[in-house]
Amino acid sequence: MSEAPQQMVTAEGHLVSAVGQGTWYLGDDREAREEEVAALRAGIEAGMTLVDTAEMYGGGRSERLVGEAIAPVRESVYLVDKVLPSNASATGTIEACERSLRALGTDWIDLYLLHWPGPHPVAETVDAFESLVQRGWIRAWGVSNFDPADLASLPATPLVNQVLYNPSRRGVEVDLLPAHREAGITTMAYSPIEQGRLLADPMLTAVAERHQVSVAQVLIAWAVREPGTIAIPKASSVAHAEENAAALEVALTAEDLAEIDAAFPVPTDPVPLEML
């Protein structure tokens, strides 16, 4: 059996489930809004209390949807948001956070990330993050889409680095994930099912059939198979959210993992960090 999925220890010493909820593209379809809100709430009720969003997603539409969904249960939600690199100057970070707080309808963000490296010095952004912590607007900060060199440029250690990670995107295993483990940085895996492109893979389908689960559940279980990793799949329906949460119960065997390794081998040399 693979190891049981681990939980992230937050800056406040709390535990967060190894499977959370992503919201990229949620809020874009007005007709789907009610169902998407219900899906997020169902996911929270099923234990996926980490909810990830960003000011970039739909120009704030995702944040507003998330705010509506979590309002009745805000105290039990671990809320993650991201600032655009173009906004991440000393004053711009503060202003962006204030806008996001208004859109979310909340007084604080649990984890605030720099969405990817950008034009402003990272030391300036981190100083702004620390100011936001002091103000009580955020509880902790991290980064997203940072490669090993980007991490080395930071003046302090982020709580999290959110990166693209699934069996078809294993370059991070060569150098980035070892750097995370050495520094005690939690890996947050976005697009763990490669936006659906892996769902028809024959080998993954065979693994799923052995466990009598879906391919998506296999992929989520694979993403969180080792300590220190959280996956944030998206769900747009209640049934889908409940299915994602149940992936925590899937225990992949050594045979499963060997088959996945054979079909999706880790690169032999470092590769540029991939993004979607």
Side-chain angles (χ1 to χ4, degrees), residues 1-22:
M1 296 276 190
S2 63
E3 293 190 57
Q6 301 295 305
Q7 296 174 309
M8 180 182 76
V9 179
T10 72
E12 303 78 48
H14 303 305
L15 292 176
V16 176
S17 172
V19 179
Q21 302 188 79

Side-chain angles (χ1 to χ4, degrees), residues 58-73:
R61 288 190 295 273
S62 172
E63 289 178 320
R64 290 189 289 274
L65 177 85
V66 167
E68 179 182 343
I70 70 173
V73 290

Side-chain angles (χ1 to χ4, degrees), residues 179-196:
H180 286 182
R181 288 191 287 270
E182 183 176 351
I185 299 169
T186 294
T187 302
M188 193 173 288
Y190 74 82
S191 295
I193 63 171
E194 186 66 12
Q195 297 185 329

Side-chain angles (χ1 to χ4, degrees), residues 77-120:
V77 170
Y78 190 82
L79 180 60
V80 183
D81 206 339
K82 309 180 201 74
V83 58
L84 278 166
S86 57
N87 291 334
S89 64
T91 57
T93 302
I94 306 295
E95 293 167 354
C97 184
E98 188 171 18
R99 286 194 302 272
S100 289
L101 289 170
R102 285 198 301 269
L104 291 159
T106 187
D107 293 330
W108 81 97
I109 293 165
D110 295 281
L111 178 62
Y112 200 38
L113 309 180
L114 174 58
H115 210 149
W116 63 85
H120 301 288

